[in-house]
Amino acid sequence: VTRARIHLVVTALVAALGLVGASGALGEAERRGGTLVYASTADIISLDPPNVSDTISGAVVQMVYEGLVGFTSEMAVVPRLAESWTVSSDGLQWTFKLRRGVRFHDGTPMNAQAVKYTFDRILGVSGESVLRANLYLPYIKSVEAPDEQTVRFVLQFPDAFFLNRLAGNQACVVSPAAHRRYGKDLSRNPVGTGPFRFVHWMANREVVVERFDGYWGRKANLDRVVVRPVPEAGARVIALESGDVQLASRIPPEQVGRLERNATLKLSSQSTLRTLFVGMHAQKPPWSDRRVRLALSYAIDKEAIARSLYQGLAEVIPGPVPRGASGYAPIPGLAYDPDRAKRLLAEAGYPHGFEATLVTVKGRYLKDFELAQVIQQQLGEVGVQLKLDTVEWARYLDLLRMAPDKSPLQMWLDAWSTATAEAAGVIWPRFACSEFRPKGANTNGYCNPELDRIVHEAERTVNVPARDRLLRRAQEVLVQDAPSIFLIGTREVVGMSARLHDPIQMQNETLTVNERTWLDP
Amino acid sequence: MMDGLRGLVVRRATAVLPVLLGVSVLSFAMLRVIPGDAAVILGGPQATEAELVGIRREYGLDQPLLVQYLRYAGRVARGDLGVSIRTRDPVRQLLVDGLGVTLTLATLSLALAVTLGIPAGVVAARRPNSVIDVLTMAGALLGVSMPVFWYGLVLLFVFAGALRWLPAGGVGSVKHLVLPVVVLGTAGMGVIARLTRTAMLEVMHQDFVRTARAKGLAERQVVLRHALWNALNPVLTVVGLQFGFLLGGSVLTETVFALPGIGRIMVNAVFSRDYPVVQGGILLVGTMFVLINFLTDLAYVLVNPRLREA
């Protein structure tokens, strides 16, 4: 038995005990029944797991489906359809024992063949292409089903974050019978094993799920959940105040004070895996000079931004990795030091600063445009004159997706979140030499072979402490190289009726419910 | 008279086809000129090239534009508007549902605007520059200028949040429609009231009105039977235009009140470059526009017999 395996089994046990403990403590007051109406920011897009990439579809996927493992709200990996698992000593084979007696909502059994079917589909064995295939394709070689309750994954290399990958929405197990029947339209007719089963989805009106009485675990408390898109934040708040809805996502910071004074409502805030940063084009002067990039980073007062602009709805982060991600290292970042910034600019040959354009979007990320304005003002104080260029989302995506040698970008406000909640997945696609846009997500055109080597090794180190040491080193390199001005991780506030208990607010910005969520009469 | 009308109908109907063909070409081309495509937006900022290739292939976006257009036109000719790239919703069903909501909203708010706007304009025109005129026109100006977003939220705040008389957005009952109809109706009422007043003032000074008065007709008859009837032409035009505008332009109201109308569907589809939905929507709204213009023309002819000879 390898150390990694012991560690994993212990993690699974602790997590399982944690779940039991939590439900036991809450057990007395819980009440069965009731319909929860939940106001989301937009309509869902797809309920076919490997085609899901937005958090609202993700919220419903979490109700209807389950994976072999899943994430807690703090992004810890816990068992779901798998009861236990082992990994071979070379880290290349993962063997999962499935829970017995689990059935899909259509009555067909959830077994090893169903799991294999789910992953064969993602890997393109059946010829179908799914949106998020790349979360799995580079890592999984094949999936075997040696018996009814056993699934074995054969990997391309020892994958340090394999369990995180399996815990995402995209790896949820779908009913093979349903997929054979609906094909691509599984997205509108989802069939999983989750505590709620799908009732209907009317575009721009509502998605409805109801308690699944054949659920393998304890049956859900709520009878029904109605997810209703209410795009305008002010209208969401009023719907909450009027009692029309009992749960509302994304409460704007300026409404928090008013809602806090309302005794019939509760607010809850959670840090997210989304980080905001300013990208800099590492191949163009003056940003090709590391001293300039460091200077611009020192010139920004991140603490003040978190405190004043975000009023506590943000946390300063040292590098690109959000605090909630596995492998995050709490290292010191580049603290505010305008004098040092000026000295570095002078050393680099820009004693009077320079002019540049900062591309930004408006209303897409929390206070994005206001943040761009603060950056413009703070960089102005060290002599760097920024012109803000606010562009529409599609234009912005086009700009981000250009190859570094063709990109007109100089500096841009940007955000990143991670589906797998781990550090390597945050660093590699954005900063590896092989991942320049459009193939990968390296918009900066930043390349440091030393960083590549460290992250490459970390991705293949199944031993957790050793892996995290490597990732810490990678984060230190990135802080010192400053390819982007790393700013903050955001926090998100959700509002709910005081009658609602235990909704699930996950760090990946998914607001959902599970079988234990309940409503007072 | 029947010949005149039939001629008009035939002339107008033959003009409709080229207009719709033009609309289909334009809606197809415009979307492809602006940055981004459906795959880029569906994939988001973190998507890799490999992920986008799959989407483009599946929806034929990797084909030459001409091929894409011909395929699209061929499908439309068979009455098939395709499925949404984003959600796989059948486009026709999506648009018909959305149009149902928007048509209801537009009809009710226009009815409100006309029933309040025309009398207000007539009352104001009867005594120009009187207190009642100034107050009515100030009210009309306020109605036209209030930002829909702000006004809608204030109404929601008062009637849904504080008083709890009405639901805070969404669909499902007549109650859900009250606030959005008031919001849209207020703006339309302002426009119609101001226009009715201007048209009435113009007509009131014309000879036939003086003649009617000289004949000794009651003032009420002069105003309603002679003046208003003749002042209605420009008002009708604007009512027709307003209706068209309400069909496509109620997107802000639909957003504030979370109504699944066609305005919101279209704006979302444009932002996500959901080509089949945008193209189908423009075609549908274009057809409606042409129809409404056609009906407005017919209404002119009915109101003004002199046009029948033209």
Side-chain angles (χ1 to χ4, degrees):
Chain A
V1 183
T2 63
R3 262 177 71 171
R5 178 173 154 186
I6 293 171
H7 178 86
L8 288 167
V9 170
V10 169
T11 311
L13 266 177
V14 168
L17 285 173
L19 281 179
V20 170
S23 60
L26 292 163
E28 305 100 62
E30 280 180 43
R31 180 189 161 266
R32 209 67 184 301
T35 295
L36 167 68
V37 185
Y38 160 15
S40 63
T41 54
D43 198 6
I44 60 167
I45 296 173
S46 171
L47 294 177
D48 179 10
N51 284 309
V52 166
S53 58
D54 64 300
T55 55
I56 302 156
S57 303
V60 181
V61 164
Q62 286 291 314
M63 301 174 202
V64 174
Y65 291 99
E66 293 166 302
L68 293 176
V69 291
F71 282 124
T72 65
S73 53
E74 312 299 317
M75 308 313 284
V77 176
V78 291
R80 289 270 157 84
L81 293 176
E83 239 164 9
S84 65
W85 53 87
T86 55
V87 56
S88 65
S89 54
D90 60 4
L92 287 174
Q93 286 192 22
W94 289 73
T95 308
F96 291 82
K97 283 281 171 212
L98 301 183
R99 209 171 274 286
R100 277 171 197 282
V102 178
R103 285 188 177 273
F104 288 106
H105 302 154
D106 60 7
T108 58
M110 194 291 299
N111 52 27
Q113 285 74 33
V115 177
K116 178 174 162 52
Y117 186 94
T118 295
F119 282 92
D120 279 352
R121 187 181 161 228
I122 294 175
L123 299 176
V125 174
S126 56
E128 185 180 345
S129 78
V130 297
L131 183 63
R132 287 289 177 242
N134 271 33
L135 284 173
Y136 306 95
L137 265 177
Y139 307 94
I140 302 174
K141 193 183 272 174
S142 64
V143 184
E144 297 159 8
D147 66 57
E148 190 82 349
Q149 304 307 129
T150 311
V151 180
R152 183 172 300 126
F153 290 81
V154 181
L155 304 189
Q156 303 278 7
F157 58 83
D159 180 0
F161 292 108
F162 185 59
L163 284 180
N164 286 60
R165 251 175 271 292
L166 289 190
N169 286 328
Q170 293 78 7
C172 283
V173 180
V174 304
S175 155
H179 178 255
R180 282 192 201 101
R181 181 164 162 209
Y182 297 112
K184 277 270 175 188
D185 284 326
L186 185 68
S187 66
R188 315 190 52 77
N189 304 276
V191 180
T193 60
F196 295 93
R197 75 170 169 208
F198 176 77
V199 178
H200 69 235
W201 168 19
M202 294 165 76
N204 297 310
R205 291 171 195 235
E206 60 181 25
V207 185
V208 179
V209 300
E210 64 181 11
R211 175 174 47 234
F212 172 48
D213 287 320
Y215 187 55
W216 57 267
R218 48 169 302 175
K219 313 292 179 267
N221 287 322
L222 295 169
D223 291 338
R224 271 178 169 242
V225 182
V226 179
V227 182
R228 188 189 290 164
V230 183
E232 163 54 30
R236 269 201 311 283
V237 168
I238 293 169
L240 200 57
E241 288 174 317
S242 72
D244 277 18
V245 307
Q246 296 82 43
L247 179 64
S249 62
R250 217 164 275 182
I251 302 296
E254 56 275 13
Q255 302 268 18
V256 166
R258 195 173 102 225
L259 292 182
E260 268 173 347
R261 289 191 294 276
N262 187 333
T264 65
L265 302 178
K266 298 186 285 194
L267 292 176
S268 144
S269 99
Q270 168 74 288
S271 68
T272 73
L273 295 173
R274 188 169 298 281
T275 63
L276 292 174
F277 56 94
V278 173
M280 294 180 277
H281 201 297
Q283 296 183 352
K284 285 180 190 166
W287 303 275
S288 49
D289 188 327
R290 187 177 77 103
R291 288 170 300 189
V292 170
R293 302 198 302 263
L294 283 172
L296 299 192
S297 296
Y298 280 122
I300 302 294
D301 189 348
K302 296 142 201 153
E303 296 289 349
I305 288 173
R307 209 175 39 241
S308 315
L309 179 60
Y310 286 92
Q311 299 179 8
L313 290 183
E315 296 151 341
V316 175
I317 44 159
V321 181
R323 289 191 186 185
S326 186
Y328 164 80
I331 53 172
L334 303 178
Y336 179 51
D337 191 344
D339 293 329
R340 193 161 175 186
K342 284 180 198 155
R343 275 204 309 279
L344 281 164
L345 280 174
E347 274 176 39
Y350 301 94
H352 306 295
F354 53 87
E355 289 180 2
T357 300
L358 176 77
V359 169
T360 180
V361 281
K362 200 171 183 174
R364 181 57 65 159
Y365 304 117
L366 192 60
K367 291 190 179 285
D368 44 15
F369 184 69
E370 292 88 338
L371 178 58
Q373 286 178 313
V374 170
I375 286 162
Q376 180 185 38
Q377 182 245 324
Q378 294 191 352
L379 288 187
E381 281 166 22
V382 299
V384 176
Q385 305 301 329
L386 287 188
K387 192 164 88 46
L388 298 189
D389 183 10
T390 310
V391 297
E392 192 244 341
W393 183 239
R395 169 77 185 138
Y396 177 77
L397 291 181
D398 266 5
L399 283 171
L400 282 192
R401 300 191 54 74
M402 283 185 194
D405 57 340
K406 297 196 184 73
S407 170
L409 288 173
Q410 297 180 325
M411 298 174 70
W412 64 98
L413 188 72
D414 204 350
W416 188 273
S417 184
T418 153
T420 48
E422 42 87 15
V426 172
I427 298 172
W428 184 262
R430 279 160 66 191
F431 300 110
C433 302
S434 59
E435 300 297 316
F436 282 4
R437 298 274 190 175
K439 174 184 175 273
N442 187 341
T443 309
N444 304 54
Y446 167 84
C447 176
N448 178 347
E450 164 73 1
L451 178 79
D452 281 14
R453 196 187 53 72
I454 300 169
V455 181
H456 184 86
E457 193 183 335
E459 283 191 312
R460 286 155 180 77
T461 305
V462 184
N463 177 299
V464 174
R467 176 196 80 188
D468 287 354
R469 272 196 302 279
L470 286 163
L471 288 170
R472 179 190 191 96
R473 180 78 201 107
Q475 288 165 72
E476 284 165 353
V477 168
L478 283 167
V479 169
Q480 286 313 313
D481 259 2
S484 296
I485 307 174
F486 302 116
L487 297 168
I488 50 159
T490 58
R491 290 186 73 84
E492 193 161 276
V493 179
V494 304
M496 67 194 87
S497 157
R499 295 162 48 222
L500 180 67
H501 304 276
D502 308 321
I504 312 292
Q505 188 184 5
M506 300 174 72
Q507 291 193 346
N508 61 8
E509 298 168 288
T510 305
L511 174 63
T512 185
V513 300
N514 68 10
E515 64 276 16
R516 288 181 297 121
T517 308
W518 59 287
L519 266 172
D520 278 335
Chain B
M1 177 195 159
M2 278 317 289
D3 263 5
L5 266 188
R6 192 180 302 147
L8 185 76
V9 170
V10 171
R11 270 201 311 282
R12 282 300 175 145
T14 44
V16 163
L17 271 182
V19 169
L20 290 183
L21 194 69
V23 167
S24 82
V25 173
L26 271 181
S27 65
F28 181 88
M30 276 189 305
L31 264 187
R32 281 159 174 85
V33 171
I34 55 178
D37 71 16
V40 165
I41 303 213
L42 205 54
Q46 300 184 204
T48 60
E49 194 64 8
E51 289 173 326
L52 303 191
V53 168
I55 310 176
R56 293 204 178 107
R57 197 176 42 230
E58 188 179 338
Y59 291 94
L61 301 177
D62 53 350
Q63 299 292 313
L65 282 185
L66 187 65
V67 175
Q68 287 188 45
Y69 178 76
L70 289 178
R71 279 184 186 172
Y72 166 67
R75 275 201 310 270
V76 170
R78 290 194 306 272
D80 175 12
L81 294 180
V83 298
S84 155
I85 296 180
R86 195 173 170 81
T87 63
R88 300 192 59 79
D89 257 309
V91 172
R92 195 170 54 183
Q93 191 58 42
L94 186 72
L95 292 174
V96 165
D97 287 352
L99 196 64
V101 172
T102 305
L103 268 178
T104 313
L105 193 61
T107 312
L108 290 177
S109 44
L110 202 63
L112 181 72
V114 168
T115 37
L116 294 180
I118 291 183
V122 171
V123 167
R126 285 271 287 115
R127 304 210 193 295
N129 303 321
S130 66
V131 176
I132 209 161
D133 178 30
V134 171
L135 282 182
T136 315
M137 284 306 108
L141 187 65
L142 193 69
V144 176
S145 354
M146 263 192 303
V148 165
F149 234 86
W150 176 83
Y151 183 35
L153 278 177
V154 167
L155 288 187
L156 268 181
F157 184 76
V158 174
F159 293 99
L163 299 171
R164 304 203 179 179
W165 290 350
L166 295 165
V171 278
S173 72
V174 179
K175 275 178 153 189
H176 286 93
L177 284 170
V178 174
L179 293 180
V181 163
V182 169
V183 167
L184 280 176
T186 309
M189 180 179 72
V191 173
I192 290 171
R194 292 178 66 83
L195 203 91
T196 308
R197 176 179 179 271
T198 314
M200 281 294 284
L201 283 180
E202 227 164 77
V203 170
M204 292 291 269
H205 294 295
Q206 286 183 12
D207 291 347
F208 71 90
V209 174
R210 209 172 312 139
T211 311
R213 281 213 180 99
K215 271 200 304 190
L217 284 179
E219 187 62 13
R220 189 186 161 75
Q221 275 230 305
V222 175
V223 172
L224 294 185
R225 179 83 189 99
H226 293 262
L228 181 59
W229 194 245
N230 283 286
L232 272 183
N233 249 350
V235 176
L236 269 181
T237 313
V238 167
V239 169
L241 283 177
Q242 278 276 317
F243 194 67
F245 166 77
L246 286 173
L247 284 187
S250 50
V251 55
L252 289 180
T253 311
E254 289 172 3
T255 304
V256 173
F257 293 101
L259 294 173
I262 198 161
R264 211 172 115 212
I265 292 172
M266 290 292 287
V267 167
N268 283 342
V270 169
F271 280 129
S272 55
R273 305 291 187 268
D274 197 339
Y275 301 134
V277 177
V278 180
Q279 286 159 191
I282 292 180
L283 209 55
L284 191 68
V285 174
T287 313
M288 306 272 316
F289 237 94
V290 170
L291 271 180
I292 291 163
N293 276 340
F294 175 58
L295 292 177
T296 313
D297 284 354
L298 278 187
Y300 279 148
V301 175
L302 292 179
V303 172
N304 190 343
R306 269 182 304 173
L307 290 175
R308 279 172 209 168
E309 272 79 64

